[in-house]
DNA sequence: CTCACAACTCAACAGGCGTTGAGAAAGTTG
DNA sequence: CAACTTTCTCAACGCCTGTTGAGTTGTGAG
């Protein structure tokens, strides 16, 4: 190639504004749709209409529906940082703190709860969501736990996590009347002790067969 | 209309055999597909191929995809009868019996577990499945419970149920490694006491604010 | 003003879906 | 055998989907 025609390399020219706002609007609309309708029922055209743009614009900013969904899921890790504090501190009332952390994360502001709802709804049909939820259940509760090398502790953490996910699913997705009607603090009062039991088993209730190695 | 031509009303004539078998084959193929792939990913053509028939045959026996799915879901109530025995008997080890009942139902023979898996996978996108799971969580655990008029007991039953559904989901749908690797009896040992705590709260751990009316 | 480039619109594609209706094949009855 | 009813096959329909590419508009730089 002949190096001849080269415009001033210092600055770009052409249209610029608006683009950033559009991308954010699309992402927000997608977040809400994925959270409320799930992955399959959310169409690119619908998201585009919600955001007030053309469908092909969605494809231009996010290259495919899967990548759009992945962009929504990418919000989750940031919001999970706030989980960690719940697990620090004494064992006493650990269950209570953990339950409260779950409920507040899933029922708080849209920016935090919607990606989590999208993950839950998408976990069955989308691999990204499934993997994210898998990692979430597997390893979230381990942060702050002393015995992260004890296989029994890992199992207990995973069990507590999946149980709490079950409660959130029943309350926010399936819509079990009793769970929907209950006050969050009521749930903390009932579930807290049970989660405590799982995470910090009392000698009386623990089974004798799984003594630490 | 002129009442003139009327064939012998005693017996029907024409082709008969095969039909019953075909219907059963389609239902079985659908059960497996819905359980393994979920509602959306299961197509009528796929089910037809599995059953070795034409797609339009599926439509002839079950009038639509929704009715085919409903037919699979209709199997569940029968298998739930076996749940009831778990809740009869003394409060002692009630949690253990309940956990075992859940695990064995979801991990037993295909005829029993597949409809349950289909319900779980379909609960997010299909209204029939969602309603079935809602009723399931809401009322299943109440059978055999003494205080079925105590609102607190209803809440506790719903919570225990949704927690167990959460565990099954993590183990069978999300595929959380720790939960998948664990032996069923291991889960019973860890989760049993926690469910016991929920269903039959000990005075020590129960919150003082919800005293019976 | 003019040009170049980014943001945006429009129309269309190919593919899969649930569903339908007409017609061929197969078996039962008289 | 012949009449008749049911089961099954085949091809197509309309619809909606994710995705693409060409063309239009607006805006900043020269």
């Amino acid at each position: 190639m002949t190096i001849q025609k080269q415009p001033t390399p210092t600055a770009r020219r052409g249209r610029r504004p608006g683009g950033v706002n559009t991308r954010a609007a699309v992402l927000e609309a997608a977040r809400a749709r994925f959270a409320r309708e799930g992955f399959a029922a959310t169409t690119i055209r619908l998201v585009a209409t919600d955001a007030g743009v053309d469908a092909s614009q969605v494809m231009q900013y996010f290259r495919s529906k899967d990548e759009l969904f992945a962009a929504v899921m990418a919000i989750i890790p940031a919001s999970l940082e706030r989980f960690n504090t719940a697990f620090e501190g004494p064992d006493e009332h650990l269950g209570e703190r953990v339950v409260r952390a779950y409920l507040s994360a899933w029922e708080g502001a849209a920016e935090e709860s919607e990606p989590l709802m999208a993950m839950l709804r998408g976990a069955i049909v989308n691999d990204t969501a499934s993997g994210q939820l898998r990692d979430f259940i597997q390893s979230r509760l381990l942060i702050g736990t002393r015995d992260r090398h004890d296989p029994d502790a890992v199992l207990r953490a995973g069990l507590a996590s999946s149980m709490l996910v079950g409660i959130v699913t029943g309350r926010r997705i399936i819509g079990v009347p009793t769970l929907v009607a209950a006050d969050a603090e009521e749930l903390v009062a009932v579930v807290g002790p049970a989660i405590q039991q799982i995470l910090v088993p009392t000698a009386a209730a623990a089974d004798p067969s799984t003594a630490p190695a």
Side-chain angles (χ1 to χ4, degrees), chain A:
Chain A
M1 309 181 193
T2 61
I3 307 173
Q4 263 184 343
K5 204 160 87 178
Q6 190 166 2
T8 327
T10 49
R12 296 258 162 193
R13 26 197 219 158
R15 193 184 191 179
R16 249 171 305 178
V20 183
N21 292 341
T22 302
R23 196 196 141 96
V26 169
L27 188 59
E28 193 179 318
R31 208 186 57 196
R33 277 278 176 192
F34 281 132
R36 237 166 285 165
E37 324 267 1
F39 181 82
T42 296
T43 72
I44 291 209
R45 290 170 221 258
L46 235 31
V47 170
T49 302
D50 288 355
V53 301
D54 189 83
S56 61
Q57 280 279 87
V58 178
M59 299 293 294
Q60 190 149 104
Y61 285 108
F62 311 87
R63 299 157 50 88
S64 68
K65 185 185 179 182
D66 279 283
E67 284 194 41
L68 173 61
F69 186 72
V72 170
M73 303 288 286
I75 308 169
I76 293 178
S79 89
L80 285 187
E81 297 293 329
R82 307 211 297 120
F83 260 75
N84 299 356
T85 62
F87 303 97
E88 292 161 4
D91 275 0
E92 210 183 355
H93 300 121
L94 172 64
E96 216 177 287
R97 292 204 309 278
V98 170
V99 174
R100 221 182 296 264
Y102 264 79
L103 290 181
S104 69
W106 250 283
E107 302 180 3
E111 302 152 19
E112 184 176 10
S113 67
E114 281 180 349
L116 291 172
M117 289 290 288
M119 174 178 71
L120 231 47
R121 281 222 154 85
I124 282 170
V125 72
N126 181 279
D127 287 344
T128 304
S130 186
Q132 193 113 2
L133 183 55
R134 186 160 44 241
D135 295 349
F136 177 77
I137 292 177
Q138 176 85 1
S139 65
R140 248 331 111 175
L141 274 174
L142 279 181
I143 298 172
T145 303
R146 294 181 306 274
D147 342 86
R148 76 184 65 189
H149 297 301
D150 179 7
D152 187 54
V154 176
L155 174 62
R156 290 172 176 280
L159 279 171
S161 205
S162 62
M163 287 168 103
L164 288 166
V165 168
I167 291 176
V168 172
T169 304
R171 188 166 152 92
R172 306 269 318 196
I173 292 186
I174 309 298
V176 181
T178 307
L179 302 189
V180 174
D183 187 66
E185 278 307 310
E186 232 177 310
L187 300 183
V188 171
V190 176
V191 179
I195 296 298
Q196 177 83 18
Q197 173 96 271
I198 298 257
L199 293 178
V200 189
T202 62
D207 68 316
S209 67
T210 46

